[in-house]
């Protein structure tokens, strides 16, 4: 039998597994694919490859951008609602990984526990892409870094202020920013800070990249002199029963024009979306001239195509 020269299997489970050079490679590939797509130049790099997309939570951007993205690359996407497949009736992740590996060329999964994505990666023989867990949202942060680079022409040395809940998006921002030498300041209420293990990882990354990490309860301190102001919903998927309490706790953390004006005059506003206008951000800011939230949403498509090409083309 002929020996195969397949490169080692790679996943995107957590951005911590990627180094600065690999992040730039993805961003550069995404810019190329974006330009080609805009010019109508086809790029069927993943011709006939199949991407399974397992969802245990709702999605607009992730679902549509992955499905359209794999199609634009010449492949096809299968939407798999976790409650419609046997996974939702108790089939193990291990068996699901082994079976799906025999039909598909890659899996994108959005679910609750980060451990479930790690388990899927452990037992699958095809690339696994994390499309959001309670802990991380790596595809989002790659799109954010691409959007920041597109707007500012660099990443290193910029200051990103995140105001709000120390959630999955905050965690992946901590990792992503500190991989590329950006400074990050996070303002959240006491008791809603990012997980200490993620903060420790970010501080560790910063030792080699030069990034500074600051966690505070003061929104003004975080936003002061920031190049990017970022927020996310106060109640993430799965926390709906806490939403009344969260509305009260997070009220002082709204990104409004007064707070935003403390950032640099040319600061940009980002939000992973969906947004709750009037809660974590005012319409004035999110619909204002410095908001790039829809460019950011569009870049999900381009960066995820780059991720799929990098993970799936030689498998
Ligand atoms: N930002 C993001 O992941 O959006 P969806 O929940 O719509 O996929
Ligand atoms: N923190 C949010 C992000 C949605 C894209 C959530 O997990 O619901």
């Amino acid at each position: 039998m002929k020996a195969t020269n397949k490169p080692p299997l790679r996943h995107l489970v957590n951005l911590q597994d990627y180094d600065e050079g690999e992040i730039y490679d993805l961003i550069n590939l995404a810019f190329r694919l974006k330009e080609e797509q805009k010019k109508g130049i086809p790029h069927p790099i993943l011709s006939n490859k199949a991407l399974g997309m397992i969802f245990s939570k709702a999605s607009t951007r992730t679902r549509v951008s992955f499905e359209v993205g794999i199609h634009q690359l010449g492949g096809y996407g299968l939407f798999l609602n976790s409650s419609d497949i046997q996974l939702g009736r108790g089939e193990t992740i291990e068996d699901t990984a082994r079976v799906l590996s025999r039909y598909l060329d890659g899996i994108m999964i959005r679910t609750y526990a980060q451990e479930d994505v790690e388990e899927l990666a452990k037992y699958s023989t095809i690339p696994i892409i994390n499309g959001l867990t309670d802990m991380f949202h790596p595809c989002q942060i790659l799109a954010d870094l691409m959007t920041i680079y597109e707007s500012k022409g660099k990443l290193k040395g910029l200051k990103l202020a995140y105001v709000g809940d120390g959630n999955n998006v905050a965690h992946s921002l901590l990792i992503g920013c500190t991989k590329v030498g950006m400074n990050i300041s996070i303002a959240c209420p006491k008791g809603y800070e990012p997980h200490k293990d993620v903060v420790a990882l970010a501080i560790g990354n910063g030792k080699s990249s030069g990034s500074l990490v600051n966690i505070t309860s003061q929104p003004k301190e975080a936003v002061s002199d920031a190049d990017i102001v970022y927020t996310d919903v106060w109640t993430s998927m799965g926390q709906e029963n806490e939403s009344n309490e969260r509305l009260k706790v997070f009220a002082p953390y709204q990104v409004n024009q007064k707070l935003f004006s403390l950032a640099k005059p040319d600061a940009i506003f980002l939000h992973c979306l969906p947004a709750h206008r009037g809660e974590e951000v005012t319409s004035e800011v999110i619909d204002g001239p410095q908001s790039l939230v829809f460019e950011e949403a569009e870049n999900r498509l381009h960066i995820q195509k780059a991720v799929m090409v990098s993970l799936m083309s030689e498998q």
Side-chain angles (χ1 to χ4, degrees):
M1 208 161 69
K2 200 167 148 254
T4 57
N5 287 320
K6 279 211 293 193
L9 179 62
R10 193 88 201 271
H11 307 286
L12 174 56
V13 166
N14 181 347
L15 218 43
Q16 184 61 21
D17 303 331
Y18 283 64
D19 65 26
E20 183 180 16
E22 290 168 332
I23 292 173
Y24 275 104
D25 285 348
L26 287 172
I27 292 174
N28 287 328
L29 177 56
F31 281 132
R32 196 192 94 204
L33 294 170
K34 181 172 183 175
E35 196 184 333
E36 288 180 0
Q37 192 63 36
K38 301 265 178 207
K39 288 183 177 157
I41 302 169
H43 37 233
I45 308 166
L46 297 182
S47 177
N48 293 325
K49 300 253 184 187
L51 177 79
M53 308 186 302
I54 303 176
F55 282 91
S56 308
K57 290 177 174 172
S59 169
T60 298
R61 279 143 289 270
T62 306
R63 176 175 173 180
V64 177
S65 56
F66 266 105
E67 191 161 338
V68 169
I70 185 73
H71 179 75
Q72 290 177 356
L73 290 167
Y76 50 97
L78 288 89
F79 174 72
L80 302 166
N81 186 329
S82 65
S83 61
D84 293 341
I85 57 175
Q86 299 290 6
L87 189 62
R89 294 185 62 252
E91 185 167 19
T92 63
I93 292 173
E94 183 175 337
D95 285 351
T96 304
R98 288 179 164 146
V99 171
L100 292 183
S101 292
R102 290 174 182 247
Y103 303 136
L104 301 169
D105 302 289
I107 297 175
M108 190 286 303
I109 177 165
R110 165 168 289 195
T111 191
Y112 294 87
Q114 176 70 14
E115 296 72 28
D116 287 354
V117 179
E118 287 166 10
E119 177 136 327
L120 196 64
K122 181 173 170 194
Y123 291 104
S124 84
T125 56
I126 55 174
I128 302 299
I129 300 169
N130 181 350
L132 179 146
T133 63
D134 292 345
M135 200 66 181
F136 294 117
H137 198 359
C139 294
Q140 178 65 52
I141 274 51
L142 286 171
D144 301 338
L145 294 177
M146 177 181 176
T147 309
I148 295 165
Y149 192 90
E150 205 169 28
S151 159
K152 300 282 178 194
K154 63 172 188 177
L155 297 173
K156 207 172 266 307
L158 296 176
K159 176 183 177 183
L160 183 142
Y162 175 95
V163 182
D165 188 20
N167 61 15
N168 42 11
V169 169
H171 288 159
S172 285
L173 281 170
L174 273 166
I175 301 292
C177 289
T178 56
K179 285 277 176 175
V180 298
M182 286 171 61
N183 303 320
I184 177 163
S185 188
I186 297 201
C188 27
K190 293 242 176 319
Y192 295 87
E193 295 92 350
H195 196 290
K196 64 177 179 14
D197 294 350
V198 180
V199 176
L201 277 178
I203 292 171
N205 292 341
K207 291 204 170 111
S208 44
S209 69
S211 299
L212 302 173
V213 176
N214 175 45
I215 312 291
T216 174
S217 60
Q218 305 300 317
K220 288 182 186 163
E221 177 189 332
V223 171
S224 167
D225 272 333
D227 299 281
I228 304 108
V229 179
Y230 199 122
T231 189
D232 183 18
V233 289
W234 293 338
T235 301
S236 285
M237 291 180 278
Q239 299 173 331
E240 288 76 9
N241 60 355
E242 299 172 21
S243 76
N244 286 343
E245 173 69 12
R246 284 173 171 268
L247 276 176
K248 284 184 237 152
V249 173
F250 283 97
Y253 291 79
Q254 182 186 68
V255 178
N256 49 37
Q257 201 54 48
K258 194 168 163 220
L259 183 64
F260 188 69
S261 68
L262 300 176
K264 286 198 179 141
D266 63 348
I268 58 170
F269 174 75
L270 297 181
H271 188 310
C272 58
L273 304 179
H276 288 191
R277 285 172 169 75
E279 293 183 16
E280 76 274 5
V281 61
T282 57
S283 296
E284 196 182 5
V285 171
I286 196 169
D287 296 328
Q290 286 164 268
S291 171
L292 292 181
V293 297
F294 299 111
E295 284 76 5
E296 180 186 9
E298 178 187 330
N299 284 337
R300 293 289 303 278
L301 171 70
H302 308 298
I303 199 80
Q304 288 160 191
K305 285 169 70 179
V307 168
M308 288 189 279
V309 167
S310 90
L311 296 179
M312 291 166 62
S313 53
E314 291 185 61
Q315 290 300 320

